[in-house]
Amino acid sequence: MRETRETELMLKGYGLTTAEVLYHLPDHPHLLQTFVWQQYDIAPKFPALRKFLAFWQDSIDGPLHSVTYTHRRLVTPSEWRNVTGELVLH
């Protein structure tokens, strides 16, 4: 079921957003830790990424150092077509 949902999101213009979050450890502020986050999001406003970062700032003790992200649309509507037939071998 999840694959269907992801395909529908991709056809609606969503792409895979990957963010690398560097944050300071609460007990050792001179050390940095890495967290990688992935979600289907829509560019250029990135509502899911913004929601995640707002949650981080409100709920997580480790203050953010930096966020690096990349976004890639995996499938566009022009690359997808509905197949109405099926070919079975053997």
Side-chain angles (χ1 to χ4, degrees), residues 13-81:
Y14 284 74
L16 186 62
T17 301
T18 304
E20 179 186 27
V21 178
L22 289 177
Y23 65 96
H24 296 277
L25 292 175
D27 296 338
H28 304 283
H30 59 282
L31 294 177
L32 291 175
Q33 182 73 24
T34 301
F35 180 80
V36 176
W37 175 89
Q38 281 190 326
Q39 183 73 34
Y40 284 96
D41 207 355
I42 192 157
K45 294 190 178 187
F46 299 104
L49 178 59
R50 291 180 187 271
K51 183 178 176 183
F52 170 73
L53 293 176
F55 167 78
W56 185 289
Q57 290 177 333
D58 293 341
S59 304
I60 307 294
D61 290 335
L64 293 174
H65 175 271
S66 61
V67 177
T68 306
Y69 69 93
T70 184
H71 177 80
R72 175 76 174 140
R73 288 186 65 182
L74 302 175
V75 174
T76 60
S78 64
E79 295 175 343
W80 184 86
R81 64 185 176 133

